[in-house]
Amino acid sequence: MSVYITARAFYQQAFTTILPKLKHNMATGPDKIATEAFIYGPPRLFAHLNIIFSWFLKVGALPAKFAESTILPLVKVKCRDLSDVENYRAIMISNAITKVLEFVVLDKLTSSSYVDEYQFGFKAKHSTGLCTNVLKRKIDYYTARGSYVFCSFVDFSKAFDRVNYWKLFNKLLDDNVACDVVKLLLFWYSNQSVSVRW
């Protein structure tokens, strides 16, 4: 299955789904180009983006600049020990053009897994707050009828940091995600470079 983008489809996607997702007044990435350059860019800019993004999908590779990011550590609690690593959360800042590419690729990721129906976080019109509300309603339902409710919670602290990416890419292939997209993601994850802004 191929995901190469026709020019008309790319323009439609750019103006209807990608541009509204780009945020104004965001910190610039390592290339120092703001997202406004794309938000207010001319249609000709998207013609060029269409060409290079289609090429990235075809060859399954990216220029090194696309894989550069900056980590900005933010203090969680200012009155706590500032030398404690656990007192910081990291914000990853990518280049604006990389964000545009992420939205293009994200739009091409379709899943056929039934598990996705039960996912609450990182899904449009869903949140972990919605999940919590469903849990509370279920507990109220059974306790109001005199039944006991037993819950078990698992803390997947920093689970994403421990993901085996090779298994993740194989799962994407098993889930019928286009091979060229998986190949591009594989290259992207394998060739990331990150600097810390302190």
Side-chain angles (χ1 to χ4, degrees), residues 7-39:
R8 181 176 290 178
F10 183 78
Y11 296 142
Q12 186 176 2
Q13 178 190 10
F15 291 106
T16 58
T17 61
I18 296 172
L19 290 181
K21 292 178 183 174
L22 293 175
K23 296 178 182 174
H24 294 262
N25 303 318
M26 299 300 290
T28 58
D31 65 358
K32 304 294 184 215
I33 297 173
T35 53
E36 284 82 1
F38 297 95
I39 294 170

Side-chain angles (χ1 to χ4, degrees), residues 63-119:
K65 289 287 181 187
F66 275 77
E68 287 181 359
S69 297
T70 302
I71 291 179
L72 182 62
L74 298 178
V75 178
K76 290 179 185 175
V77 183
K78 291 183 180 179
C79 59
R80 278 184 44 199
D81 182 10
L82 296 181
S83 64
D84 180 12
V85 177
E86 297 298 319
N87 193 25
Y88 289 87
R89 64 185 179 96
I91 301 293
M92 181 81 79
I93 304 170
S94 301
N95 293 321
I97 195 168
T98 306
K99 291 175 188 170
V100 175
L101 178 60
E102 286 173 3
F103 286 126
V104 169
V105 171
L106 183 63
D107 193 54
K108 302 299 172 196
L109 290 175
T110 55
S111 174
S112 58
S113 174
Y114 73 92
V115 176
D116 292 346
E117 297 172 18
Y118 303 104
Q119 178 178 336

Side-chain angles (χ1 to χ4, degrees), residues 120 128-142 149-153:
F120 285 91
T128 51
L130 179 63
C131 179
T132 305
N133 184 35
V134 169
L135 177 66
K136 285 181 178 178
R137 286 177 37 211
K138 289 295 178 190
I139 291 171
D140 290 345
Y141 176 85
Y142 287 106
V149 177
F150 300 97
C151 295
S152 175
F153 296 94

